Amino acid sequence: MRMLSIDDSSVVRKIIRMAAEVLEFELVEAEDGFEGLAKLDELGGQVDIILLDWNMPGMNGLEVLKRLKQNEKTKRIPVMMVTTESQKENIVEAVKAGAAHYMIKPFAMEELTKKIMECLGRGTI
Amino acid sequence: MMENSTGPAQRLEWPVTMFVEALKDAVATMAGITMESVDESFLTGEATMGGMMVLQGDPSAVLMILADQPSVAAIVTNMTGIDSGELTIEDLRDGLSELVNMVAGTVRGRLTGSGNRFKLSSPLAVTGEHLAVYAKRHVECSLSRFVAGDIWLELKIFYI
């Protein structure tokens, strides 16, 4: 399994790296939306799940999500938003834009790995 | 005056206890560390790192979390599983910024449900020796302190 993490926080990416190790997933990391889309393009869209931050410089996560869902190669990849945006309207907006799951920071590692597996339709680990 | 879909926004009364609970919850959830509230007079070390965000509402506020570098390193180590000796100063700044971001985001999520709306700036981090924050005399400030063993944090809210 290959997971793409798009988050401008190095600490959050490190936490996601730990989750990837627990799940024995390959992890690809990007610091912002542009880099994330570029890496996805390099990989030919061959990613099983994307963990996406909302507030990032340049292009926010919602815009990245919309672009992913407009692209034939990437529209079927499940995207889980991982963000501090906990307002109901944000969650609704993300789900409408195609987010498969929504994870609000702060979160525990067990919760993160569980939601990743749920997002992949694999239930709990 | 900011407005929302249900009419004019209420004047905010920043709920200090909500910030306190959000901070304790963020550190406990992300780092597995239980921070205990201590009296304002409790002697802490000298702050060398600070994370901050502007909460723009009516009135606006500045949220700050201050600590020394070993305290931030201990929290980030627990968050990431990376030994504190391998963490860079950028990791510590980023970790503290994320912590402020989570606290502000949690409080905003809870307040929005009751019609209290405010905007958040990007989180910022400051570092340096003898770090202190001064405000004009008329600016009120609330201070909360927390400890867990050798780890300590200060939460300050300036009502600007």
Side-chain angles (χ1 to χ4, degrees), chain B:
Chain B
M1 177 75 80
M2 296 173 68
E3 296 204 354
N4 62 36
S5 57
T6 58
Q10 301 165 26
R11 186 169 168 80
L12 284 165
E13 286 184 23
W14 294 105
V16 177
T17 51
M18 203 179 273
F19 284 96
V20 166
E21 292 310 313
L23 176 59
K24 286 182 175 180
D25 181 58
V27 177
T29 305
M30 299 297 294
I33 297 170
T34 304
M35 302 296 298
E36 300 289 344
S37 293
V38 291
D39 192 77
E40 281 185 27
S41 60
F42 187 88
L43 187 65
T44 55
E46 188 175 82
T48 53
M49 302 196 75
M52 60 188 290
M53 279 181 97
V54 177
L55 287 52
Q56 188 190 348
D58 179 24
S60 293
V62 175
L63 169 66
M64 287 199 79
I65 297 174
L66 294 153
D68 60 6
Q69 195 165 315
S71 294
V72 178
I75 290 169
V76 176
T77 288
N78 278 36
M79 284 167 82
T80 61
I82 295 171
D83 188 75
S84 61
E86 293 174 30
L87 293 169
T88 65
I89 188 69
E90 286 77 19
D91 289 329
L92 302 186
R93 287 187 197 125
D94 186 76
L96 191 53
S97 296
E98 269 302 309
L99 191 58
V100 175
N101 199 17
M102 288 176 208
V103 172
T106 299
V107 172
R108 182 164 73 158
R110 288 180 189 166
L111 284 181
T112 300
S114 58
N116 289 301
R117 288 173 176 267
F118 58 92
K119 292 180 180 175
L120 298 177
S121 71
S122 287
L124 306 167
V126 289
T127 54
E129 297 298 315
H130 313 296
L131 201 61
V133 185
Y134 298 99
K136 295 279 189 185
R137 195 177 298 167
H138 70 274
V139 175
E140 289 182 39
C141 171
S142 72
L143 168 66
S144 307
R145 286 182 167 143
F146 314 89
V147 294
D150 293 333
I151 302 167
W152 63 269
L153 294 172
E154 260 184 14
L155 184 144
K156 282 186 169 181
I157 305 169
F158 295 92
Y159 307 96
I160 56 174

Side-chain angles (χ1 to χ4, degrees), chain A residues 8-12 14-15 18 84-87 89 105-108, chain B residues 26 29-30 79-80 82 91 94-95 98 101-102 105 108-109 112 117:
Chain A
D8 64 335
S9 164
S10 65
V11 164
V12 173
K14 285 179 169 73
I15 294 167
M18 268 203 301
T84 57
E85 291 292 338
S86 58
Q87 297 170 105
E89 63 210 46
K105 302 172 191 171
F107 54 78
Chain B
T29 305
M30 299 297 294
M79 284 167 82
T80 61
I82 295 171
D91 289 329
D94 186 76
E98 269 302 309
N101 199 17
M102 288 176 208
R108 182 164 73 158
T112 300
R117 288 173 176 267

